[in-house]
Amino acid sequence: MTTTVSASPDARPRRISRRWVYLIGSPVVRPVKIGVSDDPEARLDDLQTGSPVPLVLMWQVHGGQRLEAALHERFAAVRTHGEWFDFGDDDPILTVAEEAEHLGYGPLPVIPLPRQPITIAPQPAERVKPDTVRGRLLAALTEGTAAPRDLAALVGVDRRAVYRPLERLVSQGHAVWLADGRLTAVETEATAPALPKCRDRVLEAVRAASGPVRQKNIAQALNVASGTVSKAVSALLVAGLLTRLDDGTLTAR
């Protein structure tokens, strides 16, 4: 859903351009674009073509190049490159719209950041070297889904520097963005067993254990990726075939 506003009736009288100033961004990465266009939705389509993450039209208001230039100048301190800005933990819609309202362009909208469906990844295009930042990120993702900030902390890189290698992993088919802003690794037939077969092996391993067993020990015993075992365990818990005890260990019912 896009917020569209008109010029504020309290603004001082002047001729306002009918060209749209827009805010385009993604529900899964922080940088947003402040631009101007006669057709923001067509501009969104153009930008989406070259973007590895889903983009949405977040906000728009009549104002033309005058308002665009004013907003660029106002937020120059958080510019990342070109017309892209990173507002950190601040809501980009409210931040930009509030400044536009202050300049006399439209009332302040109050809407949540829109969410997009899962981004489908292609088959992995190339092998990722394990001793690189991308390799460490991918290894972390095999343990389960995670947000970019958490991944940055896990592999020891600045959170602002984690997006580019993550976008590479997505564009190469090694990971996908989820609708809640987290990522997960892509499993292929060549790298992971079929989940139903894995569930059977996990259940058999837990039943064969002499007592409660930890999930990581199951993965080691079966020589299966921890992320795959985690998904199998989740399915078995939902099905009522396994029980997770207070100490985190698993036992068969």
Side-chain angles (χ1 to χ4, degrees):
M1 178 178 179
T2 305
T3 298
T4 303
V5 295
S6 304
S8 169
D10 298 328
R12 58 184 182 279
R14 68 176 184 280
R15 182 182 180 87
I16 293 179
S17 171
R18 303 308 294 172
R19 299 192 72 199
W20 294 103
V21 173
Y22 62 79
L23 189 68
I24 285 178
S26 173
V28 295
V29 293
R30 292 193 318 195
V32 295
K33 186 179 189 296
I34 302 173
V36 63
S37 175
D38 293 319
D39 188 345
E41 292 187 359
R43 183 62 177 136
L44 171 65
D45 291 340
D46 292 339
L47 292 169
Q48 185 64 77
T49 300
S51 174
V53 296
L55 297 175
V56 291
L57 179 59
M58 305 164 75
W59 171 86
Q60 63 186 60
V61 67
H62 287 301
Q65 292 181 329
R66 176 180 295 183
L67 175 58
E68 180 198 39
L71 293 174
H72 284 185
E73 181 179 359
R74 169 65 179 82
F75 300 120
V78 295
R79 187 195 302 266
T80 59
H81 63 283
E83 297 182 335
W84 292 85
F85 300 80
D86 186 344
F87 292 95
D89 294 329
D90 295 333
D91 186 311
I93 299 174
L94 296 182
T95 302
V96 174
E98 185 177 43
E99 181 62 22
E101 184 196 32
H102 176 72
L103 294 170
Y105 296 85
L108 181 64
V110 180
I111 65 171
L113 181 65
R115 293 292 183 184
Q116 289 285 76
I118 185 172
T119 305
I120 303 301
Q123 287 294 100
E126 65 179 54
R127 181 176 177 273
V128 178
K129 296 180 179 179
D131 57 345
T132 63
V133 171
R134 280 189 298 144
R136 299 201 303 274
L137 287 170
L138 185 57
L141 284 172
T142 61
E143 300 295 325
T145 58
R149 291 184 187 182
D150 297 330
L151 290 167
L154 284 171
V155 303
V157 299
D158 188 278
R159 69 182 186 183
R160 290 175 295 182
V162 79
Y163 289 101
R164 187 176 297 275
L166 286 176
E167 289 171 0
R168 287 281 303 278
L169 288 174
V170 171
S171 65
Q172 293 173 349
H174 295 287
V176 292
W177 290 105
L178 302 178
D180 61 2
R182 298 181 299 164
L183 297 98
T184 187
V186 171
E187 293 179 344
T188 65
E189 293 180 359
T191 59
L195 187 56
K197 181 178 179 181
C198 186
R199 285 200 298 262
D200 292 341
R201 295 180 65 197
V202 168
L203 182 58
E204 182 181 351
V206 175
R207 285 174 172 170
S210 57
V213 60
R214 295 194 177 278
Q215 187 170 302
K216 66 178 182 180
N217 294 335
I218 299 173
Q220 293 171 354
L222 299 179
N223 194 27
V224 175
S226 298
T228 303
V229 171
S230 177
K231 293 175 183 178
V233 167
S234 296
L236 290 168
L237 289 169
V238 170
L241 297 173
L242 290 183
T243 300
R244 192 184 298 277
L245 304 180
D246 292 339
D247 62 357
T249 57
L250 299 163
T251 183
R253 288 185 176 180

